[in-house]
Amino acid sequence: MPSPRLLVLFGSQTGTAEDVSERLGREARRRRLACRVQALDSYPVVNLINEPLVIFVCATTGQGDPPDNMKNFWRFIFRKHLPSTSLCQMDFAVLGLGDSSYAKFNFVAKKLHRRLLQLGGTALLPVCLGDEQHELGPDAAMDPWLHDLWEKVRVLHPMPLSLSVIPPGVPLPSKFTMQFLPETPRTCSEEQCVARTDPQSPPSELQPFLAPMVTNQRVTGPSHFQDVRLIEFDIAGSGISFAAGDVVLIQPQNAASHVQQFCQVLGLDPEQCFTLQPREPDVPCPTRLPQPCSVRHLVSQYLDIVSVPRRSFFELLACLSPSELERDKLLELSSAAGQEELSQYCSRPRRTALEVLCDFPCTAAAIPPDYLLDLIPPIRPRAFSIASSLLAHPSRLQILVAVVQYQTRLREPRRGLCSSWLASLHPGQGPVQVPLWVRPGGLTFPETADTPVIMVGPGTGVAPFRAAIQERVAQSKAGNFLFFGCRWRDQDFYWEAEWKELEKKGCLTLVTAFSREQKQKVYVQHRLRELGPLVWELLDRRGAYFYLAGNAKYMPADVSEALTSIFQEEGGLSGPDAAAYLARLQRTLRFQTETWA
């Protein structure tokens, strides 16, 4: 393809930014632009000084944090000594993906845009602020922004007169080709899995540890609306070590019934084996897929067939459909004008890719296998706070898992892929192994023995604090204060007996909030206010650290508001001074959060 080179770099946590980046790559190729699409942390950032044209696509996670796969880039780009002319030859644009219900909406994209300008880059457009809360999702902001972007690029880098734009209805070549093997080779089996049980180096995403599941126990009452599990793994001999605050990543797989249904709808033989070849020389094959690989392994362990498909899924299906009726409908759903209908059909009811394929049977049966990896994203690992300490449970790793299940207008309940898969495993009925690895989490605890810690963990948010309390008690560290909230004392009071025992020994101060046990709902933030004098004493006079874990939607803002009230009432601070005090705690890592959507 002719120059110029366009580089699309993404920071993605859930896959949305990666999907948008792949869409940009496709639109660039339709305009005859050579284009590379890469995760920010896999790109050698020092090479940015040689890039003429870069589009950054980045999500904002938690409380204004960059996604995991751009954290190294983030640290580098904000180094103070970088010259202000570093990127003076680079034209750039930043596309942000966020959720306006959070305080730091698109914080990462806005901050990156400013930093690239400081380093001498030339912005082609103002930053795009995609919003998950908009009724049409991020596309509402993205569609007009992308229209303007391609117009700017066209003026800067006109297309050769001999070429024209490849129209939307014409499929681009697939990223990979599948060479099906005439017979199943001996190595094409589940045993060829990349994971192994005796790693030479610490397990990672490329080489997870196949951890035996020891127990899988429901810890909520039988009448409680939610099934929550305490799951324990044996990690002896794995090379895994962890501290309080770290997280474990688990690579789930699809249910056997869904794998069978997918293969039937697409007319695939699950036992057939293939090798994968990239069409472009600089495109690597997915490292998680063995070579050769069976269709069953691809569908059960790699393709996320129960994810909610994005617009790009419908665009590609429309290109591949031999049925005029189905193609017209798919084109409508993938058009800018059809986004409200797509939202009604797919996003709101959380319809899965497999269910969509069942709704378009002629199209599904005609999908060339080469396009499977373009059409369906890979299954992403799920992160869980580790809920145990190696000091209390040597060679063991425990997690607290809320099994995700809810109803939409669709007949079948919606189920979380990883939590449902974990809940379905029964170690009592035979050996069960789960691919996992560990990485540092967002919480770090003080080394000094006399520094108190205040931990606020409603619901399953208490998991990392159990690890912290076990670790600190084993190290004879006092000053452990836990604020725990749940609905009912007898239904979802996790580890009640353990906390009571530690209270008796004087190792823990426990404060509980049972929200449904009285007329007025009582939450952890109410308990914090009630104990305002103690909280102020611990933070201001004893240098305590404050931790918060749990659902990211309302709770962090409610707790922050409770703290600023305490600073005003107990510390006599003005509103602005209380806000500054809280900001200082955050800046010095004495206020840390680990939240999830």
Side-chain angles (χ1 to χ4, degrees), residues 114 125 200 305 327 365 375 395 546 567 578:
R114 286 195 300 271
L125 289 170
Q200 310 305 306
I305 58 176
R327 184 169 62 250
L375 190 65
S395 301
F546 189 98
F567 302 160

Side-chain angles (χ1 to χ4, degrees), residues 119 173-174 223 292 330 349 359 411 432 439 443 464 482 502 545 548 562:
L119 295 175
S174 62
S223 63
L330 290 163
D359 284 350
R411 188 170 55 85
V432 171
R439 67 163 164 76
L443 304 177
L482 175 64
L502 288 170
Y545 278 55
L548 174 63

Side-chain angles (χ1 to χ4, degrees), residues 230-453:
L230 175 61
I231 299 175
E232 183 173 67
F233 300 101
D234 181 355
I235 57 166
S238 66
I240 289 175
S241 69
F242 56 85
D246 289 350
V247 298
V248 63
L249 288 107
I250 290 177
Q251 187 65 53
Q253 52 188 268
N254 290 307
S257 58
H258 289 148
V259 173
Q260 184 182 358
Q261 188 181 14
F262 182 88
C263 290
Q264 282 174 349
V265 171
L266 272 76
L268 297 168
D269 174 3
E271 306 314 321
Q272 197 163 14
C273 287
F274 62 89
T275 56
L276 213 54
Q277 293 292 326
R279 287 189 192 271
E280 305 268 336
D282 60 340
V283 174
C285 283
T287 46
R288 275 180 29 218
L289 285 180
Q291 293 267 36
C293 180
S294 70
V295 169
R296 184 184 302 283
H297 185 96
L298 172 73
V299 180
S300 66
Q301 298 194 37
Y302 188 79
L303 298 179
D304 198 352
I305 58 176
V306 293
S307 59
V308 177
R310 300 186 171 99
R311 184 172 164 185
S312 57
F313 176 87
F314 294 88
E315 286 171 354
L316 182 51
L317 274 188
C319 289
L320 301 174
S321 179
S323 157
E324 191 179 345
L325 188 66
E326 290 185 7
R327 184 169 62 250
D328 288 349
K329 189 65 187 171
L330 290 163
L331 284 169
E332 191 182 323
L333 290 169
S334 60
S335 68
Q339 290 315 286
E340 173 56 32
E341 191 179 351
L342 178 61
S343 180
Q344 292 269 24
Y345 168 66
C346 205
S347 312
R348 284 180 199 149
R350 313 303 290 165
R351 196 182 301 270
T352 68
L354 176 55
E355 288 168 329
V356 172
L357 291 168
C358 291
D359 284 350
F360 293 86
C362 297
T363 305
I367 294 169
D370 285 357
Y371 280 97
L372 283 176
L373 277 80
D374 296 85
L375 190 65
I376 297 174
I379 297 173
R380 295 183 175 276
R382 272 48 168 191
F384 296 90
S385 295
I386 297 172
S388 59
S389 167
L390 288 169
L391 299 179
H393 301 276
S395 301
R396 292 287 194 264
L397 187 156
Q398 297 179 357
I399 55 174
L400 192 64
V401 180
V403 181
V404 177
Q405 181 173 324
Y406 57 95
Q407 200 72 47
T408 66
R409 61 180 174 79
L410 301 179
R411 188 170 55 85
E412 278 293 308
R414 306 294 90 188
R415 292 183 171 88
L417 172 62
C418 189
S419 62
S420 298
W421 175 64
L422 287 171
S424 74
L425 302 174
H426 303 290
Q429 297 173 8
V432 171
Q433 292 182 318
V434 171
L436 56 79
W437 63 98
V438 163
R439 67 163 164 76
L443 304 177
T444 53
F445 291 85
E447 296 287 327
T448 47
D450 58 346
T451 304
V453 294

Side-chain angles (χ1 to χ4, degrees), residues 10 41 127 141 346 367 418 430 450 584-585:
F10 65 85
D41 275 359
V127 62
C346 205
I367 294 169
C418 189
D450 58 346
R584 191 161 63 252
L585 289 177

